[in-house]
């Protein structure tokens, strides 16, 4: 069958082994470690220039000079004034990497990490590949972003293994933290505004600063492709601004190649789980502050399990661009004149970004709790009030373990330990989210409260637990999403003998609808359909011939599980359509508070099954999808939403049939 030609069996994928880097830290002096001889391999053996020299190179570059001349003409001021403004932007932005500060962080983080985590496991083969890449080409590190801890952890690992420390793109909000902000700057962070719209000068200073650091091999550049932390633990749609900037020197022939290194950071228990859940329910994010950091010290008494960090294969920009990009187009315009990327370049960068995020996803290490979260959330949605017997939960987790492995999941399940012990250990680590009573397990939805609370407050307290649990389940959605889309498409087909063309059309509709929700590469619908078919045929769930799709006898359990994976999202998008159908005159700013109020009302009356539709992330993704499909239109300048109610009704009906 042709599926087997198209896809390499995920079970055969070789991944590196892990080593616990904390093991040595527990058995030797942290002070000696922090003060160790640090001699990293550098790009082509070059000595990094001083910070002051780096700034001068930026301010004296032809590219920035051209923009300064343009801005001075537009504003009717002298070039010197604009140059002064550029120098002030650079001063606000620039890192001041100092080894003494790095050593302080190395000592402090060693103490903190040994207290918080049982182990920090690294694939050392990946670090060897990274070391080679750093020596040969400019390197860009692209870690996944699920925690504040990510960039500290990355620098800590690179220092430990004697690798060149990165310069890290960080949001301006960190700069507001007294003392800590400056210490982050001195450990390699450079600060950028969250948005700078049409500020031509700021963009020029920023892009030149990044490109000069990259081209001169000053240090590996590190940034988060998703742009911000994922509060749901799902990968976010990649942001392309910085990726465009770091690819530019290669596209213009200023460097031979650039290595992009996807890094997957997997937390067994996330420090910010409750904070993220509350943010998704509309509680404002606490402002980053030094006092807030000290107040957070109580987390040091908690157990956060293990972390796995997987350094992926370096991806050559040269090989990505081969047969995709005609670089001769850059010979037509002098390099120092900034130009908007062509459609060809934008498409290339977008496709590369999706490929890199998928590489991050594939190397995420899933812990047993991720599978338990699937089971417990599905039981909760089915309103099984008495909870699940421990042995039944274990059986379902083992079944899901085997299925996820067949789908190619990178699962960290200790096979030498009895499954019942693995499950009990996971439940113990996440005891804030579950309750075990008389051998039965359920989510800890009944929280202790002081005094009487309203039904709405009670619902929101439950939602914090459910969204926290969902953030762990979401870590594995990339493993199941394509088979789940296919299962939902099969579920829609009317007869037992299901026509392949009908199922493909339904799959295509769902994939398009949820392309803001999950990482689904643009233009890859056929490939994703074939991949889903391959996995379900390989695991004995389906039999497929030229025209028909047949469900096997043992396939019903798998299909029931897979359709339930998509159910919360289907219901969420459906309720957003229903809400918008009842509106007249709504701005984008009013949308989230109003739809949240609507959903709370329907949850309290029992018309909705899934509490997780309260997630603002899901609501925003649904609105973005409806705008993309043309069911909602944003009126520019006013922020008003123009609603096509006929189309919204039609989409609601279609989603309701899935």
């Amino acid at each position: 069958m042709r599926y087997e030609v198209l896809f390499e069996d995920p079970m055969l994928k070789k991944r590196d082994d892990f080593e616990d880097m904390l093991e040595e830290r527990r058995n030797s002096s942290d002070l000696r470690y922090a003060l160790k001889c640090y001699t990293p391999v550098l790009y082509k053996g070059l000595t990094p220039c001083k910070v002051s020299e780096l700034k001068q190179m930026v301010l004296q570059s032809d590219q920035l000079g051209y923009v300064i001349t343009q801005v001075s003409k537009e504003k009717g001021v002298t070039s010197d004034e604009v140059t002064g403004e550029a120098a002030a932007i650079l001063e606000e932005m620039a890192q001041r990497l100092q080894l003494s500060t790095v050593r302080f962080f190395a000592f402090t983080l060693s103490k903190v990490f040994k207290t918080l985590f049982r182990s920090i496991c690294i694939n050392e083969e990946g670090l060897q590949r990274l070391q080679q890449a750093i020596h040969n080409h400019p390197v860009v590190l692209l870690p996944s972003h699920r925690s504040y801890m990510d960039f500290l952890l990355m620098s800590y690992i690179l220092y430990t293994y004697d690798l060149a420390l990165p310069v890290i793109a960080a949001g301006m909000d960190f700069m507001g933290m007294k003392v800590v902000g400056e210490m982050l700057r001195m450990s390699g962070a450079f600060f950028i505004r969250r948005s700078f719209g049409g500020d031509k000068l700021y963009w020029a200073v920023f892009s030149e600063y990044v490109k000069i650091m990259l081209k001169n091999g000053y240090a590996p550049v590190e940034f988060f492709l998703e742009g911000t932390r994922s509060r749901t633990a799902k990968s976010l749609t990649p942001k392309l601004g910085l990726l465009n900037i770091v690819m530019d020197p290669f596209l213009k022939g200023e460097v031979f190649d650039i290595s992009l290194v996807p890094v997957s950071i997997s937390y067994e228990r996330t420090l910010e789980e409750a904070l993220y859940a509350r943010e998704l329910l509309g509680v404002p994010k606490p402002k980053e502050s030094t006092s807030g950091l000290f107040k957070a010290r109580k987390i040091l008494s908690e157990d956060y399990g293990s972390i796995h960090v997987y350094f992926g294969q370096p991806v050559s920009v040269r090989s990505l661009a081969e047969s995709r990009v005609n670089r001769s187009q850059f010979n037509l315009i002098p390099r120092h004149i900034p130009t908007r990327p062509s459609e060809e370049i934008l498409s290339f960068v977008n496709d590369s970004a999706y490929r890199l995020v998928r590489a991050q996803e594939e190397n995420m290490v899933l812990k047993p709790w991720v599978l338990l979260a699937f089971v417990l959330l599905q039981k909760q949605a089915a309103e099984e009030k008495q909870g699940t017997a421990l042995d039944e939960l274990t059986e379902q987790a083992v079944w899901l373990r085997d299925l996820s492995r067949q789908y190619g999941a990178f699962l960290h399940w200790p096979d030498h330990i009895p499954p019942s012990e693995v499950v009990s250990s996971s439940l113990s680590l996440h005891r804030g989210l579950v309750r075990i009573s008389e051998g039965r397990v359920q989510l800890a939805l009944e929280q202790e409260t002081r005094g009487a609370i309203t039904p709405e407050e009670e619902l929101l307290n439950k939602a914090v637990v459910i969204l926290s649990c969902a953030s762990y389940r979401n870590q594995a959605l990339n493993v199941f999403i394509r088979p789940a889309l296919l299962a939902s498409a099969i579920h829609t087909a009317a007869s037992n003998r299901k026509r392949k063309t009908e199922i493909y059309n339904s799959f295509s509709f769902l994939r398009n609808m949820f392309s803001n929700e999950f990482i689904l590469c643009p233009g890859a619908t056929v490939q994703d359909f074939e991949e889903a078919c391959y996995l379900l045929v390989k695991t004995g769930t389906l039999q497929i011939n030229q025209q028909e799709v047949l469900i096997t006898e043992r396939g019903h359990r798998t299909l029931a599980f897979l359709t339930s994976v998509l159910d919360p999202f289907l219901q969420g998008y459906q309720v957003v359509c229903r809400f918008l159908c009842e509106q007249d005159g709504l701005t984008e700013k009013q949308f989230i508070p109003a739809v949240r109020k609507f959903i709370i009302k329907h949850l309290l009356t029992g018309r909705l099954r899934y509490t997780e539709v309260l997630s603002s992330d899901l609501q925003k993704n649904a609105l973005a999808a409806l705008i993309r499909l043309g069911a909602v239109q944003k009126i520019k300048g006013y922020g008003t939403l123009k609603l096509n109610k006929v189309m919204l009704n039609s989409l609601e009906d279609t989603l309701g049939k899935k």
Side-chain angles (χ1 to χ4, degrees):
M1 193 172 286
R2 68 197 188 100
Y3 306 126
E4 296 179 25
V5 177
L6 277 171
F7 300 104
E8 181 186 339
D9 192 323
M11 292 288 283
L12 300 177
K13 183 172 180 179
K14 172 74 174 75
R15 293 188 177 98
D16 303 340
D17 294 327
F18 285 99
E19 295 289 332
D20 176 16
M21 66 180 290
L22 287 187
E23 191 175 339
E24 187 180 342
R25 297 274 44 77
R26 296 190 196 281
N27 297 314
S28 59
S29 162
D30 290 327
L31 185 60
R32 191 178 298 121
Y33 156 75
L35 298 175
K36 70 175 184 160
C37 178
Y38 174 65
T39 52
V41 168
L42 301 170
Y43 172 51
K44 294 184 177 175
L46 295 175
T47 304
C49 60
K50 294 176 182 175
V51 170
S52 57
E53 291 171 0
L54 188 65
K55 289 179 185 174
Q56 281 303 112
M57 289 166 74
V58 174
L59 292 171
Q60 291 170 4
S61 72
D62 292 340
Q63 287 89 334
L64 185 56
Y66 178 85
V67 173
I68 285 170
T69 304
Q70 294 289 103
V71 171
S72 68
K73 286 177 183 174
E74 287 169 14
K75 290 186 174 181
V77 296
T78 65
S79 292
D80 285 349
E81 286 178 87
V82 182
T83 302
E85 200 180 325
I89 291 169
L90 193 56
E91 196 60 35
E92 173 192 74
M93 181 187 299
Q95 53 80 22
R96 290 199 295 273
L97 188 59
Q98 290 183 9
L99 191 55
S100 56
T101 306
V102 170
R103 292 189 188 282
F104 170 79
F105 269 118
F107 177 78
T108 307
L109 290 175
S110 274
K111 300 290 185 192
V112 171
F113 288 161
K114 285 189 291 185
T115 304
L116 288 176
F117 303 109
R118 298 175 189 176
S119 59
I120 298 178
C121 300
I122 316 294
N123 65 320
E124 293 190 347
E125 288 174 58
L127 289 172
Q128 289 165 13
R129 293 191 294 263
L130 174 60
Q131 184 176 40
Q132 191 62 44
I134 288 171
H135 182 260
N136 294 333
H137 304 292
V139 163
V140 179
L141 291 165
L142 301 167
S144 56
H145 198 16
R146 304 291 181 269
S147 172
Y148 279 126
M149 194 70 76
D150 295 330
F151 65 89
L152 293 172
L153 184 62
M154 285 288 292
S155 295
Y156 179 76
I157 292 166
L158 297 182
Y159 177 79
T160 302
Y161 286 92
D162 222 25
L163 289 164
L165 288 167
V167 287
I168 308 152
M172 290 293 282
D173 34 7
F174 286 103
M175 204 175 81
M177 298 172 72
K178 292 176 184 174
V179 183
V180 174
E182 278 309 302
M183 288 186 71
L184 291 174
R185 193 193 290 275
M186 289 188 284
S187 61
F190 63 95
F191 297 101
I192 54 175
R193 297 172 192 168
R194 291 290 180 191
S195 62
F196 33 93
D199 190 333
K200 203 185 294 184
L201 184 64
Y202 191 94
W203 177 261
V205 172
F206 167 55
S207 58
E208 270 309 287
Y209 181 63
V210 172
K211 283 190 271 192
I212 284 174
M213 283 195 292
L214 196 67
K215 286 187 293 187
N216 291 291
Y218 179 85
V221 173
E222 179 185 318
F223 65 91
F224 301 109
L225 256 178
E226 299 163 286
T228 186
R229 282 170 302 138
S230 170
R231 284 143 178 85
T232 60
K234 285 195 291 95
S235 293
L236 306 178
T237 303
K239 303 288 189 294
L240 304 182
L242 257 167
L243 193 59
N244 260 309
I245 288 171
V246 298
M247 284 185 163
D248 193 64
F250 166 76
L251 295 172
K252 289 183 176 174
E254 295 172 304
V255 294
F256 180 77
D257 200 359
I258 293 167
S259 293
L260 307 173
V261 182
V263 184
S264 308
I265 307 175
S266 313
Y267 295 91
E268 189 168 13
R269 186 180 165 208
T270 314
L271 272 74
E272 305 99 327
E273 66 179 27
L275 175 70
Y276 288 169
R278 290 190 175 94
E279 283 182 42
L280 292 170
L281 293 168
V283 178
K285 182 181 84 163
K287 190 179 177 185
E288 282 82 5
S289 66
T290 307
S291 61
L293 187 66
F294 285 113
K295 285 175 189 171
R297 283 178 302 171
K298 64 179 183 181
I299 66 169
L300 293 172
S301 61
E302 296 276 332
D303 178 1
Y304 287 89
S306 61
I307 303 175
H308 283 75
V309 183
Y310 194 96
F311 287 81
Q313 288 281 355
V315 178
S316 156
V317 175
R318 190 176 195 84
S319 62
L320 282 176
E322 198 173 339
S323 75
R324 278 292 311 267
V325 177
N326 177 12
R327 292 199 292 160
S328 63
Q329 62 186 282
F330 295 99
N331 298 332
L332 303 174
I333 301 169
R335 285 179 188 163
H336 70 272
I337 298 178
T339 54
R340 286 189 177 277
S342 65
E343 286 301 316
E344 178 195 32
I345 297 298
L346 288 172
S347 173
F348 164 66
V349 173
N350 190 48
D351 290 351
S352 301
Y354 273 88
R355 175 174 168 172
L356 290 159
V357 174
R358 189 147 188 213
Q360 286 177 350
E361 287 185 329
E362 286 174 350
N363 290 324
M364 286 287 191
V365 177
L366 307 179
K367 313 296 178 4
W369 171 247
V370 171
L371 306 182
L372 292 170
F374 265 108
V375 179
L376 291 167
L377 283 167
Q378 289 181 6
K379 295 288 185 186
Q380 189 275 329
E383 297 186 332
E384 295 189 12
K385 308 262 186 210
Q386 302 304 312
T388 309
L390 196 50
D391 55 353
E392 183 191 342
L393 181 65
T394 302
E395 184 276 325
Q396 292 183 339
V398 168
W399 177 81
L400 200 48
R401 174 198 69 186
D402 296 341
L403 182 68
S404 61
R405 279 179 173 164
Q406 288 178 301
Y407 287 179
F410 197 173
L411 193 63
H412 183 256
W413 182 297
D415 289 312
H416 60 283
I417 299 173
S420 58
E421 288 183 29
V422 174
V423 168
S424 294
S425 174
S426 291
L427 293 172
S428 174
L429 184 66
H430 296 275
R431 56 187 172 275
L433 297 177
V434 288
R435 179 173 292 113
I436 306 171
S437 177
E438 297 177 359
R440 302 188 76 82
V441 185
Q442 60 189 132
L443 293 180
L445 300 181
E446 305 301 325
Q447 299 285 324
E448 287 184 23
T449 56
R450 293 178 183 175
I453 60 170
T454 65
E456 183 178 321
E457 288 170 330
E458 185 182 359
L459 173 65
L460 292 173
N461 286 341
K462 289 179 178 178
V464 169
V465 175
I466 288 169
L467 289 175
S468 296
C469 196
S471 71
Y472 292 100
R473 177 210 60 199
N474 290 347
Q475 292 177 26
L477 283 178
N478 67 290
V479 175
F480 295 112
I481 187 57
R482 290 159 187 81
L485 290 168
L486 179 56
S488 290
I490 290 168
H491 179 69
T492 311
S495 62
N496 285 330
R497 301 185 74 81
K498 300 171 190 292
R499 294 186 62 78
K500 194 174 172 183
T501 51
E502 180 190 352
I503 289 168
Y504 175 78
N505 290 337
S506 183
F507 177 93
S508 182
F509 165 80
L510 287 169
R511 187 190 181 282
N512 188 26
M513 176 61 77
F514 290 120
S515 61
N516 292 82
E517 196 71 52
F518 308 107
I519 296 299
L520 298 162
C521 300
T525 305
V526 172
Q527 187 181 351
D528 283 346
F529 180 73
E530 299 286 6
E531 183 179 333
C533 288
Y534 165 72
L535 290 172
L536 290 181
V537 168
K538 187 192 79 153
T539 52
T541 304
L542 300 178
Q543 291 175 350
I544 301 178
N545 57 36
Q546 289 298 102
Q547 278 86 33
E548 289 183 335
V549 174
L550 305 170
I551 303 169
T552 65
E553 192 59 41
R554 66 185 180 126
H556 291 284
R557 181 179 185 181
T558 304
L559 286 180
F561 164 74
L562 290 171
T563 52
S564 70
V565 167
L566 214 55
D567 279 349
F569 302 96
L570 283 165
Q571 188 170 92
Y573 280 49
Q574 194 183 359
V575 77
V576 168
C577 289
R578 168 65 10 229
F579 163 74
L580 290 171
C581 284
E582 296 181 13
Q583 299 303 304
D584 285 305
L586 185 74
T587 66
E588 193 176 7
K589 194 174 180 181
Q590 293 167 335
F591 170 72
I592 292 292
V595 77
R596 183 183 294 122
K597 192 174 177 183
F598 181 84
I599 289 169
I600 286 170
K601 183 177 79 175
H602 281 66
L603 283 166
L604 290 173
T605 56
R607 287 182 221 157
L608 292 176
R609 279 172 60 202
Y610 293 98
T611 307
E612 59 188 280
V613 300
L614 276 169
S615 164
S616 59
D617 186 76
L618 185 149
Q619 295 154 14
K620 287 172 188 171
N621 288 338
L623 181 63
L626 294 172
I627 290 169
R628 180 170 41 78
L629 295 171
V632 177
Q633 187 183 345
K634 275 199 292 190
I635 308 298
K636 285 187 179 178
Y638 298 96
T640 307
L641 300 176
K642 186 179 177 184
L643 309 173
N644 181 338
K645 295 195 178 181
V646 173
M647 194 171 177
L648 286 166
N649 263 314
S650 172
L651 286 170
E652 184 195 356
D653 290 343
T654 306
L655 290 166
K657 291 171 188 170
K658 301 297 177 190

